[in-house]
């Protein structure tokens, strides 16, 4: 966690991804690496019944980091 050298690999992996839970995991990873714009994607997933549980888990893990 926090290894910014992973950004190119994550970017490459996400480029062709279509599966919403995997894209959400990517948003979480990018946020953890400093991409604060990805917080919107995590928050918006809370209203999607198929992603809400996953989004809650990510936002709970982020805690004060996401909402100081």
């Amino acid at each position: 966690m926090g290894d910014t050298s992973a950004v190119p690999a994550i970017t490459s992996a996400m480029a062709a991804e279509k599966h919403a839970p995997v894209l959400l995991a990517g948003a979480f990873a990018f946020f953890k690496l400093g991409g604060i714009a990805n917080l919107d994607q995590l928050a918006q997933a809370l209203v999607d019944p198929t992603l809400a549980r996953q989004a809650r888990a990510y936002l709970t893990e982020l805690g004060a980091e996401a909402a100081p």
Side-chain angles (χ1 to χ4, degrees):
M1 296 296 274
D3 181 5
T4 56
S5 69
V7 170
I10 297 169
T11 301
S12 177
M14 293 293 104
E17 185 58 55
K18 302 288 188 235
H19 193 60
V22 177
L23 291 170
L24 191 60
F28 174 72
F30 281 124
F31 183 87
K32 291 293 286 182
L33 293 170
I36 60 171
N38 291 285
L39 184 58
D40 286 343
Q41 187 176 348
L42 295 170
Q44 289 173 0
L46 290 170
V47 297
D48 182 330
T50 63
L51 297 173
R53 176 180 251 168
Q54 180 183 2
R56 275 194 312 272
Y58 289 152
L59 291 168
T60 299
E61 183 174 335
L62 293 173
E65 182 181 348

